[in-house]
């Protein structure tokens, strides 16, 4: 699995917001064996000293960092935040978020495509947080994105994969594009389902950070991602409308 030419050690990405303490976050990242952690510039910049300590802790974990533009609602804000993040985190990777609707935190696909084009032309490797929109996906690829991150459900909702048809269609239309389910996953079973659909990775934050035992939940998600990936490779059976007996009926005794 390559993201912009980089092979990750795990298909589980982990967000770093909302944890009860930095120590619990660190334990969760280790338990998840995460391939990437996402970090918000706003979290890093909340306070100079606190931000420096947080960034130092993230570096010590030795996990690749994917900064994000969380909280941005305009192209200008997202592009400016991306430039600041590149300077702070010393990476040209950026998870691009441009929010268009406040209640659901649904991405603004029009602004997202514009921001992705600008950032791609400026040398960023863009990971766009998007809806499961086929036309929008094509526009993002044309804008220079090589990875797509469709939502499963609204951020923090824990509802899982709301639109299975849309997610399957996205996977089928773009078989060679790395796809990551981002947002809405609440249970390890949701993560396994995403992997069974053929997605390349999942990004989890709230479901781990808000669990009673974040490290244990992180470990559960790690195992679920592995199970879903193995199941996909094993070529699962197709669904059927009628029952098919698992025990052969040939040779069965017939009583008159």
């Amino acid at each position: 699995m390559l993201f912009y030419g980089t092979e990750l050690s795990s298909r589980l990405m982990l967000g770093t917001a909302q944890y009860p303490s930095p120590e619990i976050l660190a334990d969760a990242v280790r338990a998840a064996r995460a391939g990437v952690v996402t970090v918000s510039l706003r979290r890093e910049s909340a306070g100079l000293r606190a931000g420096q300590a947080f960034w130092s802790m993230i570096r010590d974990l030795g996990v690749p960092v994917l900064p994000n533009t969380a909280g941005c609602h305009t192209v200008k804000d997202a592009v400016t935040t991306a430039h600041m993040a590149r300077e702070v985190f010393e990476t040209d990777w950026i998870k691009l978020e441009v929010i268009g609707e406040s209640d659901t935190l649904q991405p603004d696909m029009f602004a997202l495509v514009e921001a992705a084009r600008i950032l791609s032309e400026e040398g960023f490797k863009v990971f766009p947080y998007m809806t499961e929109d086929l036309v929008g996906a094509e526009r993002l690829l044309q804008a220079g994105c090589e990875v797509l991150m469709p939502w499963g459900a609204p951020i923090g909702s824990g509802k899982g994969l709301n639109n299975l048809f849309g997610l399957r269609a996205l996977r089928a239309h773009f078989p060679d594009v790395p796809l990551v389910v981002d947002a809405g996953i609440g249970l390890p079973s949701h993560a396994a389902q995403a992997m069974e659909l053929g997605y390349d990775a999942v990004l989890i934050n709230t479901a781990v950070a808000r669990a009673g035992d974040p490290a244990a939940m992180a470990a559960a998600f790690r195992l679920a991602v592995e199970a879903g990936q193995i199941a996909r490779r094993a070529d699962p059976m197709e669904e059927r409308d009628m029952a098919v007996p698992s025990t052969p009926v040939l040779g069965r005794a017939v009583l008159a």
Side-chain angles (χ1 to χ4, degrees):
M1 176 187 59
L2 297 176
F3 290 144
Y4 289 102
T6 299
E7 184 171 3
L8 303 182
S9 61
S10 168
R11 295 174 184 265
L12 176 57
M13 300 180 175
L14 200 64
T16 57
Q18 304 185 53
Y19 288 83
S21 71
E23 293 75 17
I24 291 175
L25 165 61
D27 289 343
V29 172
R30 295 187 187 100
R33 299 178 192 171
V36 166
V37 293
T38 62
V39 180
S40 170
L41 180 68
R42 293 170 186 265
R43 170 66 176 83
E44 165 68 13
S45 303
L48 181 59
R49 293 184 180 178
Q52 289 176 343
F54 176 77
W55 179 216
S56 177
M57 181 203 69
I58 294 296
R59 281 199 304 262
D60 290 344
L61 290 172
V63 180
V65 172
L66 175 62
N68 65 51
T69 63
C72 293
H73 291 256
T74 67
V75 172
K76 181 179 179 180
D77 283 349
V79 170
T80 301
T81 301
H83 278 278
M84 295 171 64
R86 180 160 64 179
E87 181 176 346
V88 170
F89 299 111
E90 299 177 342
T91 178
D92 55 7
W93 282 21
I94 190 72
K95 181 191 169 197
L96 180 61
E97 299 182 27
V98 186
I99 301 302
E101 203 282 320
S102 297
D103 290 335
T104 62
L105 299 181
Q106 180 169 322
D108 180 337
M109 293 298 294
F110 301 98
L112 186 68
V113 171
E114 183 180 351
R117 178 187 56 77
I118 293 170
L119 291 173
S120 294
E121 290 175 352
E122 294 176 345
F124 284 88
K125 296 177 173 61
V126 180
F127 294 68
Y129 164 62
M130 57 175 289
T131 60
E132 65 285 14
D133 183 289
L134 293 177
V135 177
E138 184 63 45
R139 297 293 185 270
L140 286 166
L141 295 174
Q142 292 171 356
C145 298
E146 296 181 14
V147 178
L148 301 176
M149 302 183 75
W151 68 348
I155 294 172
S157 67
K159 291 182 174 295
L161 309 185
N162 272 357
N163 184 357
L164 287 175
F165 172 81
L167 291 172
R168 285 195 182 100
L170 199 63
R171 178 73 285 176
H173 277 73
F174 305 102
D176 300 320
V177 176
L179 299 179
V180 181
V181 172
D182 174 21
I185 290 180
L187 295 169
S189 57
H190 299 156
Q193 186 178 28
M195 302 304 294
E196 289 167 2
L197 290 178
Y199 277 72
D200 298 286
V202 296
L203 173 56
I204 315 293
N205 192 162
T206 308
V208 172
R210 292 302 188 186
D213 186 339
M217 186 61 75
F221 271 106
R222 170 175 55 81
L223 295 171
V225 168
E226 292 174 1
Q229 180 187 0
I230 293 170
R232 174 72 177 187
R233 290 177 175 174
D235 191 15
M237 65 173 286
E238 296 180 358
E239 292 184 6
R240 297 166 175 159
D241 292 329
M242 300 294 291
V244 177
S246 57
T247 302
V249 296
L250 292 177
R252 186 181 64 179
V254 177
L255 302 178

